[in-house]
Amino acid sequence: MDRITIRLPRQQVEMLEKLVEAGEFPTVSEAVRYSVRALLERHGNRVLREADQISFKV
């Protein structure tokens, strides 16, 4: 698994920590991974389709 670094507003970090405290996720990292998966499921296919339509003609 690769590591990336992100910066989030304090309020968002606190909300992620509250989700962990409430038992929704085992760790903040898992909450972020869940969110990224949801984003990619929602938008990933469209982005890939659009990328396939781009031709790099010289």
Side-chain angles (χ1 to χ4, degrees):
M1 196 173 300
D2 290 339
R3 176 183 287 203
I4 64 169
T5 302
I6 63 171
R7 293 181 185 269
L8 297 172
R10 167 64 27 204
Q11 184 180 12
Q12 290 178 351
V13 173
E14 289 172 357
M15 288 300 296
L16 288 167
E17 290 169 344
K18 287 183 186 301
L19 287 170
V20 172
E21 290 170 14
E24 294 292 321
F25 297 96
T27 64
V28 169
S29 291
E30 187 54 39
V32 172
R33 280 191 290 273
Y34 174 90
S35 299
V36 170
R37 280 192 301 272
L39 174 75
L40 294 175
E41 287 174 7
R42 184 170 180 178
H43 297 285
N45 285 334
R46 179 183 53 82
V47 170
L48 289 175
R49 278 194 312 273
E50 289 173 3
D52 286 343
Q53 293 174 5
I54 297 171
S55 81
F56 296 98
K57 296 180 182 175
V58 180

